[in-house]
């Protein structure tokens, strides 16, 4: 489907989150496809490259961008809530996020131009389930909890359990992603973001790494990692994580990190890069993360 064919889609703007859940339940029961539209920065691109169609299978679009239940950022103690329709620009500008979770603003400033940051949402980034989603890499490093809602009620799931395969997830057809909670890293934590692409921004990552670490007496006590564009889903690097949590920092050799990293990634060749290059960069980013962590 091309952009001129967007008129083939029906468009509705429900006035409440409950109405969205009811509409999704109705259509899911009939096997009908529905798209929830917030920023639309991924969906419009997908429509532009999709094959031409007569519109007989065009999804219904539900505009949820204005629902207050899906927007906003708030903190309660060390727990941060981020609504699914919160934009990257809002993440960049929020004072609590900047002070306690600088990983999120650092990632957000690399997501396209300011126009994209003003429209694109963290929930939309997760909903597409793309392995190249920068925002999901950051959520993985923060061990975020994903909150979902349907007419059956709410449920919460660890982000590490969210994906089931390439662009597939546990989210049911009648569920809405309402937001995320993360335990904000403690004072003195190390937060890392590095994106490698054709350009720093306005380009899909060839490889990117998000990391969060807390260290006590030379031992890593908290470690979260999220790497994008190196596997069918966001890579949580469990082998690297296990290695770092069981040894003192000064006993983690670069060679061991390299072996662990390569066990955790399975990159492919595509139009943006080669699998060999991605493997090389993956190892380099993990080594840089731990080198900087040791120096602190």
């Amino acid at each position: 489907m091309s952009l001129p064919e967007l008129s083939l889609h029906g468009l509705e703007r429900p006035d409440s989150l409950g109405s969205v859940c009811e509409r999704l339940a109705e259509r899911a029961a009939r096997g009908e496809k529905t798209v929830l539209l917030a920023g639309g920065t991924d969906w419009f691109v997908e429509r532009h490259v999709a094959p031409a169609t007569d519109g007989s299978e065009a999804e219904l679009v539900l505009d949820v961008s204005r629902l207050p239940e899906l927007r906003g950022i708030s903190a309660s103690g060390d727990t941060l809530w981020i609504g699914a329709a919160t934009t990257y620009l809002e993440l960049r500008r929020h004072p609590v996020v900047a002070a306690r979770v600088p990983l999120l603003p650092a990632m957000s400033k690399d997501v396209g131009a300011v126009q994209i940051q003003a429209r694109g949402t963290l929930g939309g980034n997760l909903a597409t389930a793309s392995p190249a989603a920068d925002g999901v890499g950051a959520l993985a490093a923060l061990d975020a909890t994903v909150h979902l809602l349907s007419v059956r009620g709410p449920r919460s799931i660890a982000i590490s359990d969210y994906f089931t395969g390439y662009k597939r997830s546990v989210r049911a057809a009648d569920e809405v992603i309402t937001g995320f909670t993360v335990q904000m890293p403690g004072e003195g934590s190390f937060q890392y973001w590095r994106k490698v692409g054709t350009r720093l921004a306005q380009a899909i990552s060839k490889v990117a790494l998000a990391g969060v670490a807390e260290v006590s007496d030379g031992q890593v006590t908290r470690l979260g990692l999220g790497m994008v564009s190196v596997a069918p889903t966001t890579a949580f690097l469990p082998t690297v994580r296990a290695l770092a949590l069981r040894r003192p920092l000064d006993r983690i050799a670069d060679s061991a990190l390299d072996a662990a990293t390569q066990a955790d990634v399975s990159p492919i060749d595509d139009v943006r890069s080669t699998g060999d290059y991605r493997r090389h960069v993956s190892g380099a980013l993990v080594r840089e993360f731990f080198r900087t962590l040791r120096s602190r």
Side-chain angles (χ1 to χ4, degrees), residues 70-108:
L70 301 181
R71 302 188 68 90
I73 301 169
S74 61
S76 177
D78 288 332
T79 301
L80 183 71
W81 162 265
I82 304 170
T86 299
T87 68
Y88 292 103
L89 197 56
E90 289 170 323
L91 286 171
R92 289 187 63 179
R93 293 175 171 176
H94 197 277
V96 174
V97 175
R100 295 291 304 274
V101 198
L103 164 61
L104 289 173
M107 174 276 298
S108 297

Side-chain angles (χ1 to χ4, degrees), residues 188-223:
S189 65
F190 175 51
Q191 300 181 43
Y192 174 96
W193 169 254
R194 180 73 184 275
K195 175 174 180 170
V196 177
T198 306
R199 297 175 298 278
L200 183 59
Q202 302 192 61
I204 299 174
S205 295
K206 294 183 178 182
V207 183
L209 175 64
V212 174
E214 296 179 6
V215 179
S216 178
D217 296 325
Q219 179 70 50
V220 177
T221 57
R222 172 179 176 172
L223 179 63

